[in-house]
Amino acid sequence: MKLRTAVVAASLALASAAAFAFHCPADMKKIDEALAKSPKLSAEQLAEVKKQRADGEALHKAGKHQESVDTLAKAMKTLNIK
Ligand SMILES: [Cu+2]
């Protein structure tokens, strides 16, 4: 019974990690698309968005998907992406 619980917990953890692993590139793509459309942002906001985009990619590559998603979410909020 305990082993079974452990297996279920492990597969759930793996599934959510995989979901995040897919989430980051999807968010980066949305940000890139929004940036390509010359968004109406101040130079300051644009610099911040680009930094968050770069940080998000670095975090994703480091395997820190939750932090990546959180960072990319800030950029998406500034860009008004839903
Ligand atoms: Cu990721």
Side-chain angles (χ1 to χ4, degrees):
M1 199 60 187
K2 264 185 184 167
L3 180 66
R4 202 191 161 101
T5 310
V7 169
V8 170
S11 54
L12 278 177
L14 210 70
S16 67
F20 277 127
F22 177 75
H23 207 299
C24 319
D27 287 352
M28 285 185 250
K29 191 165 173 278
K30 282 185 209 166
I31 292 166
D32 288 344
E33 279 167 5
L35 284 173
K37 288 177 198 159
S38 329
K40 288 184 187 109
L41 297 177
S42 68
E44 209 171 88
Q45 282 177 313
L46 203 60
E48 199 176 69
V49 164
K50 284 182 179 170
K51 188 185 179 298
Q52 285 162 344
R53 162 69 176 80
D55 286 350
E57 186 165 3
L59 287 164
H60 171 67
K61 284 182 178 161
K64 295 175 184 168
H65 301 297
Q66 180 63 66
E67 285 170 56
S68 174
V69 167
D70 290 347
T71 304
L72 294 170
K74 287 179 203 162
M76 285 166 64
K77 195 168 177 233
T78 308
L79 287 162
N80 208 16
I81 301 170
K82 276 151 198 148

